[in-house]
Amino acid sequence: MTSRALSGSSVGALRTFAYWIANGTVGLPALEGVDYWATMRAEPSLMEQVFAIFGNVLRVDEAGRVVNAKDAERRASAWLHQYMTGVLAEPPFEDWEVELHGPFGA
């Protein structure tokens, strides 16, 4: 089996998403005024779930270019908004979106 590195486009989308999470600007304007950062530090599983959703929704084309980074951000942000406010996301999350995959190819 041949392994393949993530494309630069995929790494760039992940890096940008991580930056927005860390500086508190992910999901704007939907998360405007929602102070999620302290909760993420106190509850690491929240960050785990948000990144899982981002990765599960993210899609690439045949050349490895990300084709839906904003959609992936929107769905991850919707989970974060739902978690922080109790307001259910629309549309509701599907099982494949929130699935937590095993670490390191497990």
Side-chain angles (χ1 to χ4, degrees):
M1 181 159 125
T2 304
S3 66
R4 206 176 116 182
L6 290 175
S7 69
S9 179
S10 296
V11 172
L14 181 59
R15 177 200 53 79
T16 301
F17 182 70
Y19 175 80
W20 289 335
I21 287 282
N23 76 9
T25 59
V26 74
L28 293 179
L31 287 173
E32 187 86 39
V34 177
D35 184 16
Y36 60 81
W37 190 234
T39 303
M40 278 193 159
R41 282 194 311 271
E43 301 174 34
S45 62
L46 174 57
M47 187 178 296
E48 176 186 31
Q49 187 65 65
V50 168
F51 272 88
I53 292 168
F54 181 79
N56 290 340
V57 174
L58 197 68
R59 295 291 175 257
V60 296
D61 65 15
E62 298 77 25
R65 290 182 300 261
V66 172
V67 297
N68 71 337
K70 285 310 273 182
D71 292 335
E73 179 197 357
R74 235 177 262 112
R75 288 306 278 166
S77 298
W79 178 271
L80 190 51
H81 187 270
Q82 177 177 294
Y83 187 90
M84 295 299 297
T85 67
V87 176
L88 296 179
E90 190 56 44
F93 286 93
E94 296 184 35
D95 291 343
W96 67 267
E97 290 179 290
V98 298
E99 185 176 358
L100 295 174
H101 298 278
F104 311 113

